[in-house]
Amino acid sequence: MREQNDACISSAEREEQVTKAQPKGNVPALRFPEFTDEWKKSRLSDFATKITKKNKGNVVKNVLCNSANLGLVPQDNYFDREIANTENTNSYYVIKNGDFVYNPRKSTAAPFGPVNIYEGEKIGIISPLYLCFSVHNIYPKFLYYRFKSSVWHPYVYAHGDSGVRFDRVSIKDDVFFNMPICEPTQEEQIKIAALLQLIDERISTQNKIIEDLKKLKSAIVEKLYSSANGKTYSFRQIFDVVNEKNKKLTYSNVLSASQELGMIERSDINIDIKFEQGSIIGYKIVRKGDYVVHLRSFQGGFAFSDRTGICSPAYTILRPNDLVAYGYLSHFFTSRPFIKSLKLVTYGIRDGRPINVDEWLDMTVILPTWQEQLHIISVINSIDNKLSNENQIHNCLLRQRTYLQKTMFI
């Protein structure tokens, strides 16, 4: 793990060195040492042709979706529910392996959507809302990874039109195809793409490691809590509902409920919630060791707090007594059996239906001895530590990929 962290640090140091020593000529900041020629200045239109072929007669049935995270995938694999209005696909574009699709809609990375390459063997069709094009005289994967970088974003900002929607940027087709592209030799294109593909594959492997660990943790949590022996208590016997307000403005750090991390600082999440500083006088104080009932009952609805702060007055604060070891129920409240049991005390048809706390307090739970509780916490925490390490590796890989994308293209 230390070696992985050192690798991240050295990557940051290398990026700083690259910034200070700008390369001469039309070449990227970072490249393989065996290549020295300047890159050729071209336009996207020099090797891209707009796809205009439509699915007349609804011949092709393989409807595709363009996802920022998953790429071009069959609609049936992307959506859990049945999609309406796809029986008549006469106007859909027909694309094949190696074709590109540009999504003009906003993504998480920029005020415009991703450019993806179709790698399926089966001919597909996609909504006419997308801009589709095929390429020639350029290595497709090189172009794909260039579009995965941010080097083309300034062109869209400069030549696009946000109109009345400042959170989106649209660009006309002819302007998009006039985008400047710098290209190296075919050999260098292939090598750049191969390196980035290897990193993508490593990231995919890391994602699989993390997902498998989460499944293992879930199974162990269910086994440990379901097999625990002890006394049966109602939640009312082990929790007090507290309504401690921040009247003296003692605390200013606002906490929010997170599905996996419990109560976290609102400043740590990527949601900018505006509020008047004076309004926090009515916020509730959350103490370290408290549990918070929030609105997302489909996620469990209960978040453990390992810190002291304040939260929205819409939350319900539960303070455990000495029968419960610190944090013992934090994993139990996110387990599938517990979430399933909440159906008895939730009302409404939405996924975020509220929990009737008063009725829930009369439900029961088995509490083992303190020693057994601490043992269960220790086992689960060991898995959490492993997950934390794997997530750090994942984040290092993402930073490495971002660094390479930033420095290997112009």
Side-chain angles (χ1 to χ4, degrees):
M1 189 65 242
R2 187 177 65 82
E3 292 178 356
Q4 186 68 43
N5 288 334
D6 288 344
C8 288
I9 294 172
S10 61
S11 294
E13 291 174 346
R14 285 196 298 271
E15 184 171 359
E16 184 178 355
Q17 291 170 0
V18 167
T19 303
K20 290 180 179 178
Q22 293 297 328
K24 297 179 180 180
N26 192 45
V27 296
L30 182 69
R31 67 194 306 201
F32 295 102
E34 65 266 33
F35 301 106
T36 57
D37 294 341
E38 287 196 22
W39 286 24
K40 179 183 176 182
K41 294 181 179 180
S42 305
R43 298 283 175 181
L44 182 59
S45 57
D46 293 335
F47 36 76
T49 303
K50 183 179 178 180
I51 293 175
T52 57
K53 182 179 179 181
K54 298 294 184 69
N55 187 36
K56 294 182 178 180
N58 298 319
V59 177
V60 183
K61 303 297 183 181
N62 182 30
V63 183
L64 304 174
C65 289
N66 191 18
S67 163
N69 297 322
L70 301 176
L72 289 162
V73 293
Q75 179 176 273
D76 294 341
N77 296 348
Y78 185 62
F79 290 100
D80 296 335
R81 59 190 184 280
E82 184 179 347
I83 305 300
N85 302 322
T86 56
E87 292 185 2
N88 185 2
T89 58
N90 280 287
S91 62
Y92 280 41
Y93 292 120
V94 179
I95 62 174
K96 63 183 185 304
N97 184 284
D99 289 341
F100 286 78
V101 174
Y102 170 49
N103 184 351
R105 291 175 295 180
K106 182 180 180 182
S107 74
T108 55
F112 39 89
V115 179
N116 279 315
I117 187 172
Y118 181 49
E119 298 185 290
E121 295 300 326
K122 187 178 179 181
I123 292 177
I125 53 174
I126 196 161
S127 167
L129 295 175
Y130 299 118
L131 172 61
C132 306
F133 56 94
S134 58
V135 298
H136 55 276
N137 297 330
I138 193 170
Y139 187 56
K141 274 285 190 177
F142 168 80
L143 186 61
Y144 164 75
Y145 281 114
R146 187 185 188 279
F147 276 121
K148 284 301 177 185
S149 73
S150 60
V151 296
W152 62 287
H153 291 179
Y155 178 82
V156 179
Y157 282 122
H159 299 276
D161 179 18
S162 61
V164 296
R165 293 292 304 275
F166 292 104
D167 63 338
R168 291 187 182 179
V169 178
S170 61
I171 189 169
K172 295 180 179 178
D173 293 359
D174 58 339
V175 179
F176 180 80
F177 284 116
N178 198 44
M179 181 187 306
I181 302 284
C182 291
E183 51 171 324
T185 63
Q186 187 86 352
E187 184 182 0
E188 189 172 358
Q189 291 178 35
I190 293 172
K191 197 156 187 176
I192 291 171
L195 172 62
L196 293 172
Q197 185 166 342
L198 283 174
I199 295 175
D200 276 350
E201 291 170 357
R202 179 63 184 87
I203 291 172
S204 295
T205 300
Q206 193 64 24
N207 285 333
K208 183 67 165 57
I209 291 171
I210 292 170
E211 287 306 311
D212 287 347
L213 272 173
K214 288 180 178 179
K215 291 177 183 177
L216 176 63
K217 175 187 172 181
S218 179
I220 290 176
V221 165
E222 288 187 32
K223 179 67 176 177
L224 288 173
Y225 284 102
S226 63
S227 61
N229 296 314
K231 294 183 180 180
T232 300
Y233 296 90
S234 70
F235 288 112
R236 195 181 299 276
Q237 290 176 289
I238 60 178
F239 282 113
D240 290 323
V241 179
V242 296
N243 193 25
E244 190 179 1
K245 296 295 182 64
N246 191 35
K247 293 181 179 179
K248 297 183 179 180
L249 298 177
T250 307
Y251 302 100
S252 59
N253 58 316
V254 182
L255 306 179
S256 291
S258 164
Q259 179 181 359
E260 294 187 355
L261 302 176
M263 297 301 290
I264 59 175
E265 303 286 342
R266 183 181 286 179
S267 58
D268 290 341
I269 59 178
N270 296 323
I271 302 176
D272 185 18
I273 302 177
K274 305 295 184 184
F275 62 94
E276 293 292 336
Q277 195 65 24
S279 67
I280 65 174
I281 194 172
Y283 277 38
K284 293 181 179 179
I285 296 176
V286 182
R287 303 282 179 186
K288 184 177 180 179
D290 287 349
Y291 294 82
V292 177
V293 185
H294 55 81
L295 302 179
R296 294 184 287 274
S297 60
F298 67 100
Q299 295 176 352
F302 292 73
F304 177 68
S305 184
D306 61 357
R307 67 200 71 192
T308 297
I310 54 175
C311 70
S312 166
Y315 290 161
T316 300
I317 314 298
L318 302 172
R319 191 158 294 162
N321 57 31
D322 292 340
L323 292 171
V324 186
Y326 176 82
Y328 171 71
L329 291 173
S330 61
H331 304 291
F332 174 71
F333 284 156
T334 59
S335 66
R336 283 178 293 183
F338 174 76
I339 294 173
K340 187 176 180 180
S341 72
L342 290 176
K343 292 182 179 180
L344 298 173
V345 291
T346 56
Y347 304 96
I349 59 175
R350 297 184 58 194
D351 284 342
R353 53 189 179 275
I355 298 169
N356 187 313
V357 176
D358 194 56
E359 290 187 12
W360 172 80
L361 287 169
D362 290 325
M363 295 177 65
T364 59
V365 64
I366 296 175
L367 287 183
T369 64
W370 253 67
Q371 184 178 1
E372 180 63 18
Q373 290 183 42
L374 293 175
H375 170 70
I376 290 174
I377 294 171
S378 175
V379 172
I380 300 174
N381 284 346
S382 66
I383 304 175
D384 278 343
N385 290 336
K386 174 64 174 172
L387 264 170
S388 176
N389 289 338
E390 297 299 338
N391 277 315
Q392 287 184 48
I393 294 173
H394 179 262
N395 292 335
C396 283
L397 289 167
L398 291 179
R399 289 197 294 271
Q400 183 183 46
R401 183 177 65 181
T402 299
Y403 167 72
L404 292 174
Q405 288 175 336
K406 180 180 179 181
T407 56
M408 295 190 78
F409 295 97
I410 51 177

